[in-house]
Amino acid sequence: MGQPAIKWGSVERYFMIRGYEIRHSGGDKIIIAPKDGNPLRNRQSVLIGHNYSDRKGDLLAPGHLAKIRRAFGVTREDILNDR
């Protein structure tokens, strides 16, 4: 059995609740971390392509989830368990 799919709506909700900002750049979305000095973050922003973030039901690619994990330290399980 594979890993469950993660939808853009779940990712958006997870980050908005935690004070991240989501900006629009063309059709793409940019997730920007709050400036709170969290040491788990390696970067302050991640770009998600418009093919994966146009609607809340769009599925994120594994590569985008890996970018989120590397930049913010947020795992697939963190997003899935946020209910």
Side-chain angles (χ1 to χ4, degrees):
M1 183 167 117
Q3 296 179 336
I6 305 281
K7 295 182 180 178
W8 167 247
S10 299
V11 172
E12 185 177 37
R13 182 180 59 247
Y14 178 89
F15 285 113
M16 295 297 286
I17 288 171
R18 286 160 178 78
Y20 288 68
E21 182 181 350
I22 297 181
R23 292 186 187 164
H24 307 276
S25 176
D28 301 337
K29 303 290 190 292
I30 303 170
I31 304 171
I32 301 171
K35 298 186 186 324
D36 60 2
N38 186 334
L40 294 177
R41 285 193 212 110
N42 293 321
R43 296 182 50 216
Q44 281 298 108
S45 65
V46 169
L47 177 97
I48 306 293
H50 68 278
N51 291 340
Y52 302 94
S53 61
D54 280 344
R55 295 178 307 276
K56 293 194 183 294
D58 289 343
L59 300 178
L60 255 64
H64 286 117
L65 293 169
K67 283 172 58 174
I68 289 171
R69 183 182 42 78
R70 285 192 309 268
F72 303 140
V74 175
T75 65
R76 159 190 295 280
E77 290 75 24
D78 294 336
I79 295 169
L80 286 173
N81 293 331
D82 184 51
R83 302 213 181 223

